Amino acid sequence: MDAEGGSPVRLTYTSTNHRDDMGDRMGPNNIVLTWTPDGKGIMFRNRIGSTFYGKLWTVPVDGAMPEEFPLPEGGFCSWSPDGKKLAYNRVMREFRTWKYYRGGMADDVWIYDPKAKKVENITSNDAQDIFPMWVGDEIYFASDRDMVMNIFVYNTKTKQTSKVTDYKDYDVKFPSTDGKTIVFEHAGYICVLDPATKKVQQLHIEISSDDVYARGGLRDVSSKITGRSIPANGGRMVVTARGEVFDVPVGPGVVRNITRTPGANDRGAQWSPDGKWIAYISDLGGETEVWLQAAEGGAPVQLTKGNDTYIRRLQWSPDSRTIIYTDRKNRLVELTPEGAKRVLLQNPASEFGQIAFSPDSKWIAYTKPAPNNMSVVYVCRLSDCKEYAVTEDWYDSSSPVFSTDGKYIIFNAMRDLNPIYSRVEWNYAYTEMGGVYLAVLAKDGKSPLLPVDAVLPSSESKAPADAKESKGAKGGKDAKAADKSADKSADKAAPTVVFDPEGIVDRTIKLPLSEGSARAYYCDGKKIWFNGRGGTKVYDFATGKEDNCCDARFVMNMGAKKAIFSKGKDVYVADFPAAKVALHDKVDLSGLKAVVDYSQEWPQVFDEVWRAFRDGYYLENFHGRDWKAIKAKYECLVPYAKTRLDLNYIIGEMVSEVATGHAYVNPGEVPKVEKIDMGLLGARLSADRSGYFKIEEILPGAPYEPSLRSPLSEPGLGVSEGEYITAIDGVSTKSVKNIYALLVGKANVLTELTVNSKAAEGGRKVVVKPISDEYPLYHYKWVQNNIKTVEEKTGGKVGYIYIPDMGAEGLNEFVRYFYPQLNKEALIIDDRANGGGNVSPMILERLQREVMSMTMRRGSDRVETVPDATHNGPKVVLVNKYSASDGDLFPWRFQAAGMGTVIGTRTWGGIVGITSSLPYMDGTQVSVPFFTNYDAKTGRWVVENRGVEPDILIDNDPVKEFAGIDEQLDKAIEVILQQLKDRKPLPGIPAPRTMKELGLDDLDDSQYLK
């Protein structure tokens, strides 16, 4: 683009990377770094996959094919004034929300000399030394070696480093230079550093912005629904969506936004069964509190005040007299509409989950973990808060509910032991363990499944009411009739629950439902309804038959006469319970409109994230940091946010202060550009002087995985390396400087290539289907090359296993390469660039097995081990700075168990784990680190913000690595071959034994076979 402005010209056509947003912690892809020394090209960083690795490339300003820079990885960089050397970072982690980082990925400034083909580390510091900027004889860079990120300078003549700026508050961010002057951001201001004087000047820049991305207005929020609830009569529905509470008619009627609080996250609204009140959770006053709104309107009432933590969810009692809520301090709290409050229970082990009321509102049911971590169902009498166990701690039990007649509790329990057997080893697993159980509450109660003798029907008998088809509510007369019916039923006294705790376990039976892991039960004492595969199902206790009720999933409140049904994105309300439910008119949610005011919303999101860390971070002391002071430090910047990404940046800076990995902020509502997948051919292509494009290499693949098939390698296609692509879909490739300009949008689209054996017009036509991602092919090639290298250099004695992550793919790759190599005398397990997950204990268990005995059989010279699939021999693990998360824990546990040698460089250093995000009003996803590992032997914290120290430290020289030399793998081969010298092979089959060896008297010679 011209410096004076104008339309930009596209230069690159690289693969579409779906982790390419400014808000992503990996950072934007194809990020421009600097100009080439001659000014004719641009250097940029590209990632072809979603991994940490990024490479440096140069692209000519005329848009010709980019060329790979001869380094295996790279980040921010700067050329020397004479253009002969490059100062660069090997890593790029500047977009990660993690301050004071001292793990293995902490970067240094390196100098690359292309002529000498050498690299030199000029900082060699555990802190972050980033953004090298070469000015004259000095290389400036940013470093947080004194905690706050400041500018430092390295003199290439004296080899001395000194500090230039000395900020104590905010970091220096994203400095850059034109070779004469350095500019950077600090505390939201642009500052200029004069290298000659080392003086800094803060610029005062005023931009009269239209605030295009900070404008609010009326928005349709129907796609942001987080909850629904109806009263017993089902005439209307309360819906929470995007931080607002709406009163919505089930049939025709008016939609009302009853909160209208753009600066608060209102959620979890529940209609009282009698239809008089709507209770909801709101942080309007700065903390989550319970609020109450009369159904007929008026000002809302704040029921709780001075709350000290996040309220999870609330629930009305069936008689509408009380509300129970759960919070992040593991409490069960009871409220009345008048404002009375008492803490019922507090569980030191975990938060309470689902709470179920009895029909008489005098009992609640819930689960708590026992000391052995098995979840146990309890009931609690609300009058005196006395609790009783319903289930034993031999099995996990969950999701308890009372039947509406008050006679039973129904729950799910993992009691079904039906093992499945592995095909790769003699081992087992239990998957479908769930069953639905019913406990008879009273000691004189009866099982609903007791067999009865047939009787003659009475002449006056009528078909049961629930055998009739239930129809969806349509409003009008039908709705009014339903309301009257519900009002009459509400006047009836609720059944009194009689609970006799003694012998409750013996009064528990299993229900013969088709789906053992069913949830969301509703039982009237005669039938049970549940959500199963395909929708709602009903089981009749009397007939023993199970039928489909409808093809939607239901939510039903105790004692109600209507239920909410969900089918895809559509919502219905219908009479319930019923044997059959017909869903007719869906609830119209198009009227869910709310005013969005970002000037109020963004401070709320910021504050809620701060509270989420306050209430959920794994250590309450925040590593000794003052969490309130940190809030004040960044809160003052929020009013200056003009885009949603601005807000995320500020939030990211705040959560970075705890110096913990996995503190992630993913954007909520941000403008997104539609990505068009680039068509890729699974090959390396180069521009020929003829103007056509040569196929330099067709990437090898594997038949077992579609993602490992190059489009040019399909059997019968007949395309070979060394040939030329002369046209795509009839358009000559000579017409473009970059062949990929003709493959935009061609991913998974049938495409015609004209291929010629020589660089000339014409050739034969072939049809291919380009792929969207070549990374699996490059990765597969790398793995296969490593297998081949280990095979050749060890004479076939050593096996090689690469584990890309600690999730499903990592397990698959381990299984794919571990079991076929059990015959190897030793194993090299490659954990480098392992992206993490949670399955490392499964892999380590197999690697740690020790042979207890051997098995043999007649007619075979093969022997087997017990345990099965046990490898006998030394093992080595390879790690590097990209071994992350559970990829950190894998080598740490490997070392702790004394299983072998760890070789490479220090790992990433982030093991404090996360789960799902809280429900922020605009869909923001924030990960709060809340659990971690520590050493069982020493009782000390491990790994976090440091990484795992290898037993043998060796870093791959970048120049050699680019040339194909893997020094870490070579060292692993050297070490494992040395360790093999001490390996003790397993014993072979013993010599045939005699009667004497069986403990019997020896026979005389005449009785032995001759």
Side-chain angles (χ1 to χ4, degrees):
M1 185 175 120
D2 191 283
E4 299 298 323
S7 299
V9 177
R10 180 172 180 173
L11 298 184
T12 62
Y13 295 85
T14 58
S15 60
T16 305
N17 193 324
H18 293 278
R19 293 198 64 173
D20 187 21
D21 298 317
M22 286 292 293
D24 192 278
R25 57 184 177 271
M26 290 294 185
N29 204 21
N30 292 333
I31 184 168
V32 173
L33 301 174
T34 187
W35 290 86
T36 56
D38 59 8
K40 296 180 179 180
I42 297 167
M43 293 191 71
F44 66 97
R45 183 180 187 268
N46 171 265
R47 292 179 292 115
I48 64 170
S50 297
T51 63
F52 292 109
Y53 279 103
K55 291 189 174 185
L56 300 178
W57 293 74
T58 59
V59 60
V61 293
D62 64 359
M65 292 281 282
E67 294 184 2
E68 186 178 8
F69 199 73
L71 290 171
E73 58 183 347
F76 288 99
C77 56
S78 177
W79 285 98
S80 60
D82 60 7
K84 294 182 178 180
K85 295 181 180 180
L86 181 76
Y88 80 108
N89 290 135
R90 293 170 64 176
V91 187
M92 177 179 285
R93 59 173 308 280
E94 284 64 59
F95 294 88
R96 304 194 73 86
T97 48
W98 190 351
K99 291 181 183 292
Y100 319 121
Y101 176 68
R102 299 297 185 266
M105 212 186 293
D107 218 340
D108 285 314
V109 176
W110 298 71
I111 294 179
Y112 170 56
D113 185 337
K115 185 177 181 181
K117 294 185 178 180
K118 290 183 178 180
V119 295
E120 177 190 2
N121 186 338
I122 63 169
T123 55
S124 192
N125 193 285
D126 281 348
Q128 282 277 90
D129 297 326
I130 54 179
F131 294 106
M133 297 163 286
W134 207 318
V135 180
D137 293 330
E138 297 177 317
I139 298 175
Y140 292 79
F141 59 94
S143 177
D144 64 352
R145 58 186 66 189
D146 296 333
M147 298 298 284
V148 178
M149 189 74 73
N150 274 283
I151 299 290
F152 288 75
V153 62
Y154 170 83
N155 190 292
T156 59
K157 300 295 186 182
T158 65
K159 312 295 184 184
Q160 298 299 309
T161 298
S162 58
K163 192 173 185 179
V164 179
T165 64
D166 193 25
Y167 294 110
K168 305 293 186 184
D169 48 7
Y170 299 97
D171 288 340
V172 167
K173 305 291 288 186
F174 293 96
S176 64
T177 184
D178 61 354
K180 300 177 181 177
T181 302
I182 294 172
V183 295
F184 58 88
E185 182 257 319
H186 172 258
Y189 292 96
I190 300 298
C191 300
V192 177
L193 168 65
D194 183 353
T197 63
K198 305 295 189 289
K199 297 292 181 63
V200 175
Q201 178 186 1
Q202 180 178 295
L203 300 182
H204 297 278
I205 302 172
E206 294 186 7
I207 300 176
S208 299
S209 172
D210 291 335
D211 293 348
V212 174
Y213 298 111
R215 297 176 186 172
L218 192 65
R219 301 280 193 272
D220 181 344
V221 298
S222 59
S223 64
K224 299 288 186 181
I225 295 174
T226 57
R228 313 177 187 91
S229 173
I230 55 174
N233 61 29
R236 295 183 72 84
M237 178 186 295
V238 61
V239 177
T240 53
R242 209 185 185 286
E244 300 282 16
V245 179
F246 296 86
D247 178 4
V248 179
V250 169
V254 178
V255 176
R256 303 181 183 91
N257 183 342
I258 65 173
T259 51
R260 297 180 180 275
T261 53
N265 189 4
D266 305 326
R267 56 184 175 82
Q270 296 288 316
W271 213 306
S272 63
D274 62 10
K276 295 180 180 179
W277 304 95
I278 295 171
Y280 60 94
I281 303 165
S282 176
D283 60 2
L284 183 63
E287 293 286 351
T288 53
E289 308 281 2
V290 178
W291 291 68
L292 197 65
Q293 171 71 56
E296 66 268 17
V301 177
Q302 183 177 337
L303 285 188
T304 61
K305 294 182 180 179
N307 196 25
D308 59 354
T309 193
Y310 186 88
I311 297 176
R312 283 289 191 186
R313 59 188 67 84
L314 57 80
Q315 187 172 342
W316 283 95
S317 62
D319 62 8
S320 302
R321 294 178 180 174
T322 59
I323 299 166
I324 284 183
Y325 73 78
T326 62
D327 66 22
R328 294 193 73 170
K329 288 198 173 180
N330 305 357
R331 295 176 295 207
L332 271 180
V333 183
E334 182 186 70
L335 297 171
T336 68
E338 295 74 33
K341 175 181 176 181
R342 65 170 175 152
V343 176
L344 300 176
L345 299 167
Q346 189 164 13
N347 177 20
S350 67
E351 292 183 37
F352 287 96
Q354 175 181 325
I355 307 297
F357 272 97
S358 63
D360 60 3
S361 302
K362 296 179 179 179
W363 300 79
I364 56 173
Y366 49 88
T367 59
K368 292 196 309 183
N372 65 353
N373 283 329
M374 291 293 179
S375 186
V376 175
V377 172
Y378 287 85
V379 294
C380 175
R381 185 167 53 213
L382 294 176
S383 60
D384 58 3
C385 295
K386 186 170 179 59
E387 60 178 351
Y388 304 89
V390 175
T391 64
E392 300 172 290
D393 62 2
W394 288 101
Y395 309 97
D396 265 319
S397 303
S398 61
S399 307
V401 296
F402 288 87
S403 61
T404 60
D405 62 0
K407 297 180 179 180
Y408 314 115
I409 278 184
I410 298 93
F411 59 91
N412 190 280
M414 298 295 174
R415 303 186 182 192
D416 294 352
L417 302 179
N418 300 305
I420 61 173
Y421 295 99
S422 171
R423 290 185 178 272
V424 296
E425 64 181 24
W426 185 239
N427 214 326
Y428 65 88
Y430 288 92
T431 54
E432 298 296 331
M433 294 179 62
V436 180
Y437 291 80
L438 179 148
V440 180
L441 296 175
K443 62 183 177 182
D444 58 354
K446 296 181 179 180
S447 163
L449 300 184
L450 284 177
V452 295
D453 195 11
V455 296
L456 291 174
S458 169
S459 60
E460 297 179 357
S461 65
K462 297 181 181 180
D466 65 1
K468 299 177 182 178
E469 184 181 271
S470 170
K471 297 182 179 180
K474 296 184 179 181
K477 294 182 179 180
D478 289 344
K480 292 179 180 178
D483 292 349
K484 290 180 179 179
S485 176
D487 290 341
K488 289 181 180 179
S489 65
D491 293 335
K492 298 178 182 179
T496 300
V497 171
V498 176
F499 174 60
D500 297 310
E502 186 176 352
I504 184 68
V505 171
D506 297 326
R507 301 195 300 273
T508 298
I509 61 173
K510 183 180 180 182
L511 298 179
L513 306 186
S514 61
E515 299 186 47
S517 294
R519 293 291 191 275
Y521 325 113
Y522 188 85
C523 178
D524 63 2
K526 299 178 180 179
K527 298 180 180 180
I528 182 170
W529 288 260
F530 59 94
N531 287 325
R533 298 180 181 92
T536 302
K537 298 186 178 184
V538 57
Y539 177 82
D540 191 315
F541 294 148
T543 65
K545 292 183 178 180
E546 181 180 302
D547 292 307
N548 292 322
C549 179
C550 70
D551 60 352
R553 300 175 71 83
F554 80 98
V555 175
M556 181 74 171
N557 292 327
M558 171 66 70
K561 296 302 178 182
K562 292 183 182 290
I564 299 174
F565 291 86
S566 300
K567 186 178 179 181
K569 295 183 179 180
D570 296 332
V571 179
Y572 303 83
V573 173
D575 294 337
F576 200 69
K580 294 288 183 181
V581 174
L583 303 177
H584 296 299
D585 298 333
K586 63 183 179 182
V587 179
D588 184 3
L589 299 172
S590 61
L592 296 183
K593 304 287 196 303
V595 173
V596 173
D597 183 348
Y598 292 125
S599 67
Q600 297 184 61
E601 179 178 303
W602 290 349
Q604 185 280 330
V605 173
F606 175 90
D607 187 70
E608 190 166 14
V609 171
W610 181 83
R611 285 184 278 117
F613 271 73
R614 179 200 65 184
D615 299 338
Y617 188 67
Y618 84 110
L619 292 176
E620 291 188 32
N621 76 334
F622 289 92
H623 296 159
R625 305 302 307 279
D626 185 338
W627 192 233
K628 290 183 179 179
I630 289 173
K631 178 185 180 183
K633 177 179 178 179
Y634 293 101
E635 191 174 33
C636 61
L637 302 177
V638 173
Y640 299 98
K642 296 303 178 184
T643 70
R644 188 61 179 74
L645 290 178
D646 288 347
L647 177 66
N648 282 359
Y649 178 79
I650 297 169
I651 292 174
E653 288 291 287
M654 175 177 70
V655 302
S656 293
E657 292 280 356
V658 293
T660 311
H662 297 96
Y664 301 143
V665 182
N666 295 319
E669 291 181 348
V670 295
K672 293 186 177 179
V673 177
E674 181 184 359
K675 295 180 184 292
I676 301 175
D677 283 344
M678 178 67 65
L680 305 170
L681 299 177
R684 285 195 306 108
L685 309 176
S686 66
D688 187 72
R689 64 177 62 184
S690 64
Y692 298 115
F693 293 85
K694 186 178 181 181
I695 303 171
E696 297 285 355
E697 178 189 12
I698 297 175
L699 297 172
Y704 61 79
E705 177 60 51
S707 66
L708 295 178
R709 298 300 296 268
S710 167
L712 300 186
S713 67
E714 291 298 325
L717 194 66
V719 177
S720 303
E721 294 175 353
E723 292 191 299
Y724 298 84
I725 300 175
T726 59
I728 296 179
D729 288 342
V731 179
S732 173
T733 55
K734 288 185 69 173
S735 65
V736 294
K737 293 184 178 181
N738 188 327
I739 190 173
Y740 291 102
L742 299 177
L743 290 169
V744 175
K746 291 292 185 178
N748 301 308
V749 176
L750 291 178
T751 303
E752 180 190 81
L753 304 181
T754 303
V755 181
N756 201 332
S757 60
K758 54 186 178 181
E761 185 178 356
R764 65 190 187 283
K765 292 179 171 57
V766 298
V767 176
V768 300
K769 184 180 283 187
I771 57 178
S772 61
D773 186 6
E774 288 177 333
Y775 176 77
L777 290 169
Y778 280 102
H779 174 71
Y780 179 78
K781 175 186 174 183
W782 179 77
V783 171
Q784 295 306 307
N785 182 66
N786 288 348
I787 292 174
K788 181 180 178 181
T789 298
V790 173
E791 179 81 10
E792 292 177 348
K793 292 188 176 183
T794 67
K797 295 180 180 179
V798 180
Y800 171 88
I801 302 168
Y802 180 74
I803 307 175
D805 60 34
M806 291 300 172
E809 183 184 356
L811 271 182
N812 289 342
E813 291 299 284
F814 177 77
V815 169
R816 192 182 311 281
Y817 294 109
F818 173 68
Y819 294 97
Q821 298 185 97
L822 281 169
N823 62 317
K824 301 291 187 181
E825 296 178 23
L827 291 175
I828 296 172
I829 301 100
D830 198 339
D831 182 60
R832 293 178 294 181
N834 184 300
N838 57 11
V839 304
S840 72
M842 304 179 194
I843 295 173
L844 286 162
E845 184 274 328
R846 282 152 178 81
L847 295 175
Q848 196 176 9
R849 290 174 182 168
E850 294 185 0
V851 179
M852 294 187 293
S853 65
M854 307 290 295
T855 65
M856 58 77 67
R857 65 182 184 272
R858 182 170 175 174
S860 175
D861 63 350
R862 301 299 169 86
V863 295
E864 303 293 339
T865 64
V866 178
D868 188 25
T870 297
H871 177 265
N872 178 56
K875 299 168 186 68
V876 163
V877 165
L878 281 171
V879 295
N880 68 359
K881 55 183 174 284
Y882 300 124
S883 303
S885 193
D886 202 32
D888 278 300
L889 282 171
F890 176 74
W892 185 86
R893 290 166 174 159
F894 185 87
Q895 284 180 326
M899 295 170 61
T901 307
V902 175
I903 298 173
T905 59
R906 192 154 42 88
T907 64
W908 184 58
I911 64 167
V912 183
I914 55 177
T915 56
S916 57
S917 171
L918 296 182
Y920 297 90
M921 69 168 70
D922 69 342
T924 299
Q925 298 290 310
V926 178
S927 302
V928 180
F930 85 105
F931 71 93
T932 193
N933 287 252
Y934 61 90
D935 191 337
K937 295 177 182 178
T938 66
R940 296 177 180 175
W941 302 110
V942 296
V943 181
E944 191 67 25
N945 204 41
R946 178 62 187 176
V948 177
E949 304 279 356
D951 299 305
I952 299 176
L953 176 63
I954 181 170
D955 193 4
N956 278 348
D957 180 273
V959 176
K960 293 180 180 179
E961 185 177 350
F962 187 81
I965 300 171
D966 189 337
E967 295 173 284
Q968 292 172 335
L969 182 60
D970 288 343
K971 174 57 73 171
I973 293 170
E974 175 191 329
V975 170
I976 207 79
L977 287 175
Q978 183 64 34
Q979 293 177 352
L980 267 178
K981 295 178 181 179
D982 298 324
R983 176 180 180 264
K984 294 181 179 180
L986 295 172
I989 301 173
R993 55 187 169 192
T994 64
M995 295 292 285
K996 185 175 183 179
E997 288 174 311
L998 291 174
L1000 303 173
D1001 290 334
D1002 200 10
L1003 302 176
D1004 59 52
D1005 292 344
S1006 64
Q1007 292 175 295
Y1008 280 107
L1009 293 175
K1010 302 297 183 182

